[in-house]
Amino acid sequence: NQFCNAGIEYGESSCGVSSSSSKILIKGGTVVNAHREEVADVYVKDGIIVAVKPNIKVGDDVTVLDATGKFVMPGGIDPHTHLAFEFMGTETIDDFFSGQAAALAGGTTMHIDFVIPVSGSLTAGFEAYEKKAKKSCMDYGFHMAITKWDEVVSKEVEIMVRDKGINSFKFFLAYKGALMINDELLLEGFKKCKSLGALAMVHAENGDAVYEGQKRMIELGIFGPEGHALSRPSLLEAEATARAIRLAGFVNTPLYVVHVMSIDAMEEIATARKKGQRVIGEPVVSGLALDESGVWDPDFVTAAKFVMSPPIRASGHDKALQAALSTGILQLVGTDHCSFNSTQKALGIDDFRNIPNGVNGIEERMHVVWDIMVESGQISVTDYVRITSTECARIFNIYPRKGAILPGSDADIIIFNPNSSFEITAKSHHSRSDTNVYEGRRGKGKVEVTIAGGRIVWENDELKVVPGSGKYVEMPPFTYLFNGIDKGDAEYLSSHRAPVKRFKSTD
Ligand SMILES: NC(=O)NCCC(=O)O
Ligand SMILES: [Zn+2]
Ligand SMILES: [Zn+2]
């Protein structure tokens, strides 16, 4: 009985309740959820939030953290990362330990990574990622890419959803000759996703046209990193976004567009949403906070670190994406953390087509988004919680276990001091990379404490992380995006006339 002792509600008490070392009381902070904020204490025991209310009293065996004047918020959930990803002839510099340690130092307590099939096999891909993730120090989930289609893959998709806790599948419309799939596969995949209540995701760029654009650059003698941006303009992102949206509409299944980088793609999403289609748009921090000037830097190391796909766009797209996020056209923020160091980026020193695509962000997301969205006055603190944590948990069906500070939720919590400040440099970050696309960036606000699974893992600028302590979070199908979707099918059928009956002529 946790309430048995007058004056001591939680923890070691005179009535013999055994204590555990993992009891934490966060006192006096402003607790922020996506739906409301309130001044309250938060009591955590054995990895779970037990109570959220004012003036909680505890015994001496409880670690007390004073959060007066600070925000107590759900840890960030990054919906889009690539750790230990074998890509473009190398492997990302951050694996499941270093990437997650960096995340925790920046206030993110869960991420969802992309399992890449092995020679098209989802089962082999899942097993490989299970191994990679064994060293995890924070909770994680998996999306899965689909790179080929046949009866075996179709069955594997069912197994992933029913037995392996995967509820989202990604289709790459770019990376010709590697991950790219065609429209026939996309349609098969969409149909399968719909039948299982799994969310279809797309990397939306027209890969055939990108290939053509790359050839054009080479013919013009442009071999440097700027050729990357020039070869894949935003119209190719818009074309693929529009195509995926229309095909998802044709199948009547919800769609999630990853890394929306341009006004053109964002407007396709806005139009579809206005018509009532269930489309989720995910901007990433690099697209919200940077512009393409980086890839034009005369220094190759500097320019190459900004190479990602779709490319970081010209100034103006960043502000428009921020506005779309603040008005609900786009719903949540990811990072697409896919970090390569300068030696790896140098694989493309003579030809931009060989520069491994990807930028960092898993450690920086919470600070940079606070700076550009909250500190700038574009969104409220509750909206900040929604776009960095809660909406991700809702979309991937793990709310309110994740994405909330409520009794019964996992104790993934940050204490954020809005009056402190942050500074980003490759010298002090926790990623293994020797570069950072946000190098030198400063701003107001700082994640002072991160609690993951009920453990204090980041405090006083020090990380205390344990490999193997992170748990795999299974994500069930039929997220809220599927609610009532079949009514759309019925409407589609009723809007078409009954088949015409034709009779053979008798004479
Ligand atoms: N985005 C990027 O450049 N690298 C990661 C792979 C992907 O998401 O396309
Ligand atoms: Zn992508
Ligand atoms: Zn990605």
Side-chain angles (χ1 to χ4, degrees):
N1 175 1
Q2 289 164 324
F3 297 90
C4 63
N5 193 352
I8 301 178
E9 292 178 352
Y10 301 97
E12 186 68 272
S13 73
S14 59
C15 58
V17 176
S18 69
S19 67
S20 136
S21 56
S22 60
K23 295 172 189 168
I24 304 166
L25 179 69
I26 307 169
K27 271 209 90 53
T30 300
V31 176
V32 190
N33 277 298
H35 63 288
R36 69 185 288 227
E37 55 178 275
E38 59 185 320
V39 175
D41 298 346
V42 180
Y43 181 62
V44 167
K45 191 177 168 214
D46 297 334
I48 302 292
I49 297 172
V50 175
V52 183
K53 59 182 188 172
N55 298 319
I56 296 174
K57 305 269 190 306
V58 291
D60 297 341
D61 60 329
V62 177
T63 304
V64 179
L65 301 170
D66 181 10
T68 309
K70 300 173 188 176
F71 292 115
V72 179
M73 305 192 271
I77 309 175
D78 189 338
H80 187 160
T81 62
H82 302 276
L83 301 180
F85 176 27
E86 289 149 56
F87 188 46
M88 299 188 71
T90 183
E91 184 170 327
T92 55
I93 193 76
D94 283 322
D95 61 14
F96 276 77
F97 183 70
S98 70
Q100 293 179 350
L104 291 167
T108 287
T109 51
M110 180 180 169
H111 70 115
I112 314 178
D113 211 86
F114 288 87
V115 170
I116 305 297
V118 175
S119 310
S121 163
L122 308 195
T123 311
F126 186 81
E127 283 167 6
Y129 271 75
E130 262 184 324
K131 277 203 196 100
K132 290 173 197 254
K134 275 207 160 68
K135 53 175 81 161
S136 287
C137 55
M138 78 183 202
D139 290 359
Y140 60 95
F142 287 143
H143 313 288
M144 183 168 262
I146 294 180
T147 52
K148 78 168 198 192
W149 195 259
D150 57 23
E151 279 304 307
V152 177
V153 174
S154 174
K155 273 272 158 298
E156 284 181 311
V157 174
E158 290 172 23
I159 294 165
M160 291 303 144
V161 174
R162 291 193 182 136
D163 305 334
K164 303 291 185 191
I166 290 181
N167 69 3
S168 44
F169 293 88
K170 181 176 179 185
F171 303 89
F172 286 93
L173 308 186
Y175 304 125
K176 189 176 163 88
L179 300 167
M180 180 173 138
I181 52 102
N182 61 22
D183 288 354
E184 187 184 357
L185 194 160
L186 191 63
L187 274 168
E188 291 300 337
F190 280 178
K191 284 192 289 182
K192 194 77 195 181
C193 281
K194 168 149 194 198
S195 72
L196 296 168
L199 184 58
M201 310 173 87
V202 281
H203 170 131
E205 284 184 292
N206 185 314
D208 287 317
V210 166
Y211 186 75
E212 170 65 24
Q214 290 175 329
K215 274 200 307 194
R216 276 192 208 163
M217 289 308 118
I218 298 304
E219 279 159 22
L220 289 169
I222 300 172
F223 293 90
E226 69 280 8
H228 178 77
L230 292 169
S231 64
R232 43 208 312 157
S234 57
L235 80 118
L236 303 188
E237 188 187 345
E239 185 280 328
T241 305
R243 181 163 35 106
I245 287 174
R246 280 156 181 72
L247 294 183
F250 177 58
V251 174
N252 188 29
T253 199
L255 180 70
Y256 182 113
V257 183
V258 304
H259 48 43
V260 178
M261 297 296 281
S262 64
I263 295 173
D264 322 47
M266 178 268 286
E267 284 178 345
E268 294 293 343
I269 293 168
T271 306
R273 286 177 65 86
K274 225 184 275 172
K275 287 184 189 154
Q277 196 174 335
R278 300 172 190 206
V279 183
I280 298 290
E282 171 213 80
V284 290
V285 187
S286 49
L288 291 166
L290 302 172
D291 66 43
E292 69 165 9
S293 55
V295 291
W296 289 88
D297 197 286
D299 172 48
F300 175 83
V301 174
T302 304
K305 77 178 175 182
F306 292 99
V307 168
M308 68 167 288
S309 295
I312 298 166
R313 305 294 181 188
S315 176
H317 289 265
D318 47 355
K319 293 278 184 305
L321 294 173
Q322 290 174 21
L325 187 58
S326 70
T327 52
I329 292 169
L330 304 174
Q331 290 73 42
L332 74 170
V333 183
T335 61
D336 198 8
H337 183 85
C338 183
S339 204
F340 299 101
N341 67 17
S342 51
T343 310
Q344 295 173 301
K345 288 277 184 180
L347 286 169
I349 186 103
D350 298 322
D351 183 338
F352 68 85
R353 294 173 297 181
N354 299 328
I355 300 172
N357 288 196
V359 300
N360 63 288
I362 202 167
E363 182 168 357
E364 297 78 14
R365 181 180 72 126
M366 297 296 277
H367 286 118
V368 174
V369 172
W370 178 273
D371 192 37
I372 59 176
M373 299 303 294
V374 184
E375 203 50 46
S376 67
Q378 294 192 82
I379 61 168
S380 64
V381 186
T382 48
D383 280 345
Y384 172 77
V385 167
R386 176 174 54 77
I387 64 172
T388 58
S389 184
T390 311
E391 191 54 28
C392 180
R394 288 184 70 232
I395 289 170
F396 295 104
N397 228 358
I398 49 173
Y399 181 85
R401 174 181 171 191
K402 301 286 186 189
I405 305 221
L406 292 172
S409 299
D410 283 0
D412 293 343
I413 302 169
I414 57 172
I415 302 179
F416 188 91
N417 185 349
N419 297 314
S420 187
S421 58
F422 71 88
E423 180 175 0
I424 300 169
T425 71
K427 277 205 187 81
S428 61
H429 72 197
H430 297 81
S431 157
R432 289 201 184 116
S433 181
D434 56 346
T435 65
N436 191 312
V437 291
Y438 306 100
E439 185 67 37
R441 195 175 185 112
R442 292 159 197 242
K444 258 189 102 183
K446 182 166 163 54
V447 175
E448 290 187 338
V449 178
T450 305
I451 298 170
R455 264 187 264 248
I456 300 172
V457 291
W458 171 251
E459 193 181 17
N460 302 322
D461 286 343
E462 250 178 63
L463 265 176
K464 287 185 198 123
V465 286
V466 183
S469 58
K471 293 186 294 296
Y472 176 54
V473 178
E474 295 198 9
M475 300 184 291
F478 291 105
T479 183
Y480 81 89
L481 291 164
F482 283 85
N483 289 351
I485 197 145
D486 290 344
K487 290 187 184 131
D489 296 333
E491 205 174 289
Y492 179 80
L493 289 176
S494 67
S495 69
H496 290 70
R497 292 197 209 154
V500 178
K501 284 191 184 133
R502 298 190 201 283
F503 301 97
K504 270 196 190 148
S505 161
T506 46
D507 31 60

